[in-house]
Amino acid sequence: MRQLYLLAALCAAFISGASAQSPTDALMMPKGVICILGQYTHSSWDEYWEGTNKRSNLNIGTYTNQNVMLMANYGITDKLNVLAGLPYIWTDSDSYFEGESGAQDFSAWLKYQALALESGFGTFKVQATGGVSIPVRDYVPDFLPFSIGIQSKTASLRAILNYTTKMGLYATVQAGHTWRSNTTLDRDSYLYNGQWYETDEVPVPNMIDATGRLGYINSKLQAEVFLDYFTGTDGDDIRYNDMPFPTNKMQATTAGVFAKYFIWKGLALHGSFGQVLSGRNVGQGTMYSGGVTYFFNLTKSE
Amino acid sequence: MKHIHSAILLVSGFSLLALFTRCNKDIETPTYDAYPETSLDANAGTWKTYVVANGSAFAVPAPEDASSTAYQAELADLKAKMAAATAEQQNLARHWGANGVLRWHAIAREMAAQYNVPPNYNPDGTYPSPDPMNPTSYPRFPFANPPYASRAFALLAVAQYDALVTAWHHKFQYNRLAPYKNDATIRPLIPENDLPSYPSEDAVVAAASRELLKFLFPGEVAKINALAEEHKNSRLWAGANVQSDLDAGDSLGRIIATQVINYAKTDRMGMANNQAGFANQRADATARGITTQWHSLDIPVRAPMLPAYGNVKTWNLDQATLISLRPQAPPQPGTPDFETAINELRNMAKNRTREQFRIASYWADGVGSYTPPGHWNRKAAEYIHEKQLNEIRTARVMALMNTAIQDAGIACWDVKFYYLLPRPTEVDPNVTTCTGIPNFPAYTSGHSTFSAAAAEVLAYLFPDKAAEVQAMAKEAAESRIYGCIHYRFDSEIGLTHGKQIGAYGVLRGQSDGSQ
């Protein structure tokens, strides 16, 4: 079902490992430093949850979603970062349905470090991020799971707690709420919650998500395991043997691993793997991604 | 200082977010207000009916005189009910007062959408069939696909129309005034009119619609009964009918509905899913030299949708005429004309514009929708509200259009299973689509045929909308080419064919006595 949100959330989950790149992790760029990320993600499934009922669908076969994400994270101050990102997405399946592709939604976030308590043993940080996203193109919102997105504008708020020991062991938990605007379809009638609406405006459920990470980080290497969860705050289920729809209440729990290694100065390679363990109105996706990050000081020459 | 700066930035950012989150997520749909009667149509009791012989075929007992104790007691009871009506009941009075015929059609469209899902396959690769004797267990009965929905809308419209013609006959036979004309202290919640109130046109429509919808959607009996009660009671809360107006209307609506249901039981729909006969249809086509034949693209292979629907009884033309109008054979795969048509689709699959995609989606009206006939019903309803037609003229529009749409669907299904032309994707899997491939042969396009017939009738009924509806039908037809599920000739010949079928609906409208 090519949950757009699933994709976005998984992106975020992966990127979060990518140090100082994500609105959901605890790493921040120092003042004047910018980090650029390029990342490829491949996700596929051949089973999905129709409501809570897991099934396959021979008329879709295996569904594939690929994307390339470009992101930047800049340190306005040591305690305030700005982040921006834009994915380019391809969808495909074994069916006669045509896959879609294109740039999707531009996102920007502010990230603020509210607290950093250092002791002899480690450092405790509290951060908050707020972000918005907006579709950059008039892509088709109503051809799920092949649509690359659902044309909803979003705003999100989240809190991040992190503890990192002097030895480099860390634990991070984050939780966020994403408000999503109603979307407008090409057609002007649809079923939502069993009721028939004769308008092109469709309600899109808000989302809540949370992630926990355990890992190790030093100046060359970072490795972590993570568990990610998201859910719609309301919405309906995919009707039996029908296609997914922007009103669906999506849920997923994903477990994964992430690793990053610096190969030269600010240049690092990273990779991750994730598996959806349980869900509702989403595909049981298996994801892997790989990418490169590079950071440098914008205000000083090297 | 810096910290304060950052904090301010953050706070303003979060205030923006707060603003954003106050955005209203409620969905607004069009609402319609009650309007005054624009005409009485005092002779509508003589208009030509569809199923019953005429408007005077069924008697209605004479009402009590306005001066009678019984009627005066009814007026007192009405006033008491009006006074006791809650705000919600008053809103329902206005809701149903804004054209009850169309309210029931909106309910039918919603049910069609709710029931428009093909059954999923069993683990052994077979498909279960909806069972009318067991309508609420999976797969629910009916599967309201476009042929089923078009027939449902036509039967509902015919029952409402025949019931209202009969009601009009008795209204002007007895000429009982509306309660607010008999008692000036009654101030109705909806606009007053001069229409005789016995039998109640709303009760007639409620009862006829209730009986038809229970027949068509037998899993929804409780909901339908409750809606009909609400509709009838709304007339008391509104101050528009006394109880005996409603009781007489309910009896009459029920009687007419029974006649229409008896018609429906013998319209050959029961044989429309004759899968055994499909083998004969294949053999007949082969005998006529059609060797490249349609196959289901569903996995696992699904039996075709209603292969004998082309044999169902038509409304406005007879079967011999229907067959005489059958278009000639389509270009066969391998011929130059066919190659030209499929090349257009190979190109479309690769180079579809966003606008073409929009049109394909707008007109798709596929699984989980009210189907193309529902799309046209909604359009007709908009015109009826705009022109503020009274109940009987509303019923006439819906009956003329929906019988023409069903006739067009029957004619189209006859063509589809006569020529058995494969879908473009079956001929060339590189023709990928942006909409679902329907599980029946390509030629001719159902959307095109339905839409041309609907547009032909609407152009006759609303001459100022003629250009608009014809452009819409053309766009609906082209949407299937943009979706890559139809050859251009499917759509073009479907349009011509549908227009011819629709013309028989216009002929009927021109001679039904309503002029």
Side-chain angles (χ1 to χ4, degrees), chain A residues 53-200:
Chain A
N53 174 45
K54 192 169 161 189
R55 64 168 291 180
S56 61
N57 189 331
L58 297 172
N59 293 290
I60 292 176
T62 299
Y63 168 88
T64 305
N65 186 313
Q66 303 174 83
N67 76 79
V68 168
M69 182 80 171
L70 289 177
M71 276 191 82
N73 180 1
Y74 175 70
I76 299 171
T77 72
D78 289 353
K79 294 190 172 180
L80 182 67
N81 282 195
V82 59
L83 299 85
L86 176 68
Y88 188 101
I89 300 173
W90 297 261
T91 64
D92 200 9
S93 75
D94 298 333
S95 71
Y96 58 68
F97 289 114
E98 204 169 288
E100 294 285 294
S101 62
Q104 190 218 31
D105 301 343
F106 174 79
S107 296
W109 301 267
L110 281 177
K111 186 170 179 182
Y112 180 67
Q113 181 157 301
L115 185 68
L117 290 177
E118 200 168 343
S119 71
F121 191 64
T123 307
F124 177 64
K125 293 178 189 168
V126 176
Q127 298 162 347
T129 64
V132 293
S133 79
I134 186 164
V136 297
R137 286 171 50 245
D138 181 26
Y139 57 78
V140 176
D142 182 24
F143 185 38
L144 298 175
F146 303 104
S147 288
I148 60 166
I150 56 173
Q151 291 282 356
S152 176
K153 299 180 198 67
T154 76
S156 61
L157 278 180
R158 65 185 64 253
I160 303 161
L161 306 180
N162 168 268
Y163 191 82
T164 306
T165 68
K166 296 281 187 200
M167 288 177 62
L169 295 171
Y170 66 87
T172 305
V173 290
Q174 73 86 27
H177 191 284
T178 303
W179 292 266
R180 305 199 295 172
S181 71
N182 292 348
T183 186
T184 304
L185 304 186
D186 290 343
R187 60 174 156 145
D188 59 1
S189 59
Y190 58 90
L191 275 175
Y192 169 46
N193 244 334
Q195 194 184 334
W196 185 244
Y197 290 84
E198 297 193 343
T199 169
D200 59 1

Side-chain angles (χ1 to χ4, degrees), chain A residues 55 58-59 79 96 98 100 112 138 155 157 179-180 182 186 188 194 196 198 204 206 239-242, chain B residues 3 10 17 21 25 109-110 114 117-118 120-121 138 299 349 352 354 362 368 370 378 432-433 437:
Chain A
R55 64 168 291 180
L58 297 172
N59 293 290
K79 294 190 172 180
Y96 58 68
E98 204 169 288
E100 294 285 294
Y112 180 67
D138 181 26
L157 278 180
W179 292 266
R180 305 199 295 172
N182 292 348
D186 290 343
D188 59 1
W196 185 244
E198 297 193 343
V204 177
N206 295 332
R239 296 190 315 146
Y240 192 48
N241 215 33
D242 202 351
Chain B
H3 288 216
L10 203 68
L17 279 173
T21 57
K25 292 191 94 165
R109 288 203 294 282
E110 177 170 79
Q114 290 166 340
V117 189
N120 191 20
Y121 51 83
Y138 188 84
I299 310 171
R352 182 183 300 110
R354 180 67 184 85
Y362 180 75
Y370 49 22
R378 175 185 174 186
T432 50
T433 74
I437 302 180

